[in-house]
Amino acid sequence: MSELLSRAEALDAADELGALRDRFVLDEVVYLDGNSLGALPAHVPDRVADVVRRQWGELRIRSWDESGWWTAPERIGDRIAPLVGAAPGQIVVGDSTSVNVFKALVAAVRMAREAGGAPAGGLRDEILVDATTFPTDGYIAGSAARMTGCTLRPVAPGDVPAELSGRTAAVLLNHVDYRTGRLHDLPSLTAAVHAAGAYAVWDLCHSAGALPVGLDEHGVGLAVGCTYKYLNGGPGSPAFLYVRRDLQDRFDSPLPGWNSHAEPFGMRPEYEPARGALRGRVGTPDILSLLALEASLEVWDAVPIEAVRSKSLALTDFFLECVGAYVPAGRVESVTPAAHGQRGSQVALRCADAGTVMKRLIERGVVGDFRHPDVLRFGFTPLYVGFGDVERAARVLAAVLGEA
């Protein structure tokens, strides 16, 4: 035990990202639930107070122009862009992840049909969905399929290339599995889907802000992601939608709104979509949440996502090592892949009576979460989690399991 604790102290002393911890509101708790809700950046409350008291309270309607409210969705999108490997002008922020999945998936089906390539006399009438997806994605995919006259077929991500056909219009995939932390092969899966004449829609909720994504590099067409996990945007902060530049003029949103109109204040009865990524907007932006997110993203100034990924892998490696050293054999089983190329920024442990175990961990100051029926999830946010946190979490886990 002392050897691992000493190593943790040495690793923290050498951590190039260690000073970022002071930018967050934290206490003595080991917080390993940033894969559900990121911690609060310390400067955000004052920024939000300014938005409320001055921009809203004093400037009022003038803030749409003078405080930049109107351009916030694309401005904040450009702030997120380098964190997911995208050039400016391809991301807008607004609405929830679910709403953006719906926009992207229906638009993907429409673009695939527009491009043609279906079997003779047929139609691209099938949507494939990640069989292990977060439930909401499945619900949205089912609704999109009904709306577009498609059949919905759940497929394991690794089986997607073999299941593609001339009928496939769109494929909805998670970059990182929310239960297990498995990282799926975005480059090869994207290439396979596009080679089949279909469009991949990537859900980046568990990878944005945790690892390099490379949207532009890998030719991804459409992607969505939330901002309240590794991006620390706050509870319910608005999601983002990525539309590759060369697809933007073809992106036919199923939710056209006045904010995505080419002439939003023209109040014309006919809809004409704006040019570029702006056509991903719908209604009036949620300004308070948007500007809280914008303030939160300042913690990323001069922080390379590659350094975040390197520390993430080191943290998860060290946690698995500590668990192996402290926890009696057979009490837990990691369901997160050991290979770095297949791991996100969380570790999921299968454990008997996992719900009770997590409750006791939280009572002792180690906060992760529980996923039905038997999974303990621990998320590692490299901006504020240290190696001492990791060692302590494993040690407390061993103590709780020893008492069970």
Side-chain angles (χ1 to χ4, degrees):
M1 290 175 62
S2 59
E3 188 271 332
L4 288 172
L5 182 56
S6 296
R7 279 180 54 201
E9 292 172 350
L11 287 166
D12 279 333
D15 179 14
E16 63 178 308
L17 301 180
L20 296 174
R21 184 185 181 98
D22 293 338
R23 299 186 189 180
F24 293 86
V25 177
L26 297 166
D27 49 27
E28 296 306 309
V29 166
V30 175
Y31 189 65
L32 301 181
D33 210 10
N35 54 328
S36 285
L37 177 64
L40 171 67
H43 66 281
V44 169
D46 287 343
R47 291 285 294 279
V48 171
D50 177 71
V51 173
V52 172
R53 292 173 181 159
R54 183 182 64 84
Q55 296 181 27
W56 180 15
E58 298 175 17
L59 296 178
R60 293 178 288 274
I61 197 71
R62 291 161 53 195
S63 276
W64 285 104
D65 289 324
E66 296 179 26
S67 300
W69 288 1
W70 184 258
T71 59
E74 58 267 31
R75 183 178 71 243
I76 300 170
D78 285 347
R79 184 65 187 81
I80 292 171
L83 301 178
V84 292
Q90 299 176 101
I91 294 178
V92 289
V93 179
D95 304 312
S96 67
T97 304
S98 301
V99 172
N100 284 327
V101 168
F102 182 74
K103 293 179 210 171
L105 200 53
V106 173
V109 173
R110 291 173 173 176
M111 290 192 295
R113 287 175 173 171
E114 177 187 277
L123 178 72
R124 288 195 177 268
D125 61 357
E126 180 180 73
I127 296 173
L128 304 185
V129 62
D130 182 343
T132 60
T133 192
F134 188 76
T136 288
D137 281 16
Y139 306 154
I140 294 293
S143 178
R146 292 192 299 275
M147 180 177 177
T148 57
C150 285
T151 299
L152 182 68
R153 193 153 60 90
V155 175
D159 294 336
V160 164
E163 297 293 332
L164 293 165
S165 73
R167 292 182 54 193
T168 308
V171 183
L172 177 59
L173 292 162
N174 290 269
H175 196 194
V176 174
D177 186 293
Y178 81 100
R179 282 193 187 91
T180 67
R182 175 180 289 276
L183 173 65
H184 296 302
D185 190 345
L186 180 146
S188 67
L189 289 172
T190 299
V193 172
H194 290 176
Y199 286 88
V201 177
W202 284 96
D203 183 330
L204 308 180
C205 285
H206 288 269
S207 57
L211 53 92
V213 177
L215 292 178
D216 287 353
E217 176 186 359
H218 302 304
V220 171
L222 300 162
V224 302
C226 67
T227 61
Y228 48 78
K229 293 182 172 67
Y230 297 107
L231 295 178
N232 310 297
S237 57
F240 64 88
L241 168 67
Y242 166 88
V243 182
R244 197 176 69 212
R245 194 178 311 280
D246 64 309
L247 298 179
Q248 290 172 0
D249 288 344
R250 296 172 52 209
F251 183 83
D252 183 6
S253 174
L255 296 173
W258 78 286
N259 257 241
S260 64
H261 198 286
E263 191 182 342
F265 293 97
M267 304 302 169
R268 295 183 302 174
E270 307 85 10
Y271 180 72
E272 179 187 347
R275 294 186 62 81
L278 293 181
R279 61 177 60 191
R281 294 173 62 154
V282 183
T284 304
D286 185 343
I287 291 299
L288 298 182
S289 292
L290 267 174
L291 299 188
L293 167 62
E294 183 173 35
S296 298
L297 291 170
E298 290 178 8
V299 301
W300 287 93
D301 289 346
V303 178
I305 192 66
E306 293 77 13
V308 170
R309 176 59 168 168
S310 179
K311 182 178 176 182
S312 164
L313 292 172
L315 287 168
T316 48
D317 279 343
F318 191 56
F319 181 67
L320 289 168
E321 181 182 354
C322 290
V323 168
Y326 294 163
V327 176
R331 294 293 281 116
V332 298
E333 173 195 2
S334 176
V335 295
T336 301
H340 285 182
Q342 298 176 14
R343 186 195 310 165
S345 198
Q346 74 177 50
V347 171
L349 302 176
R350 182 166 286 126
C351 173
D353 206 12
T356 300
V357 169
M358 183 53 70
K359 181 179 179 181
R360 291 177 178 168
L361 283 171
I362 292 171
E363 289 170 351
R364 297 195 181 191
V366 175
V367 178
D369 64 23
F370 158 68
R371 285 294 178 266
H372 184 80
D374 58 358
V375 171
L376 303 170
R377 288 197 323 167
F378 301 95
F380 298 83
T381 305
L383 298 184
Y384 54 77
V385 172
F387 293 90
D389 296 322
V390 167
E391 189 275 339
R392 177 182 162 193
R395 186 159 29 89
V396 173
L397 174 62
V400 167
L401 291 173
E403 296 168 3

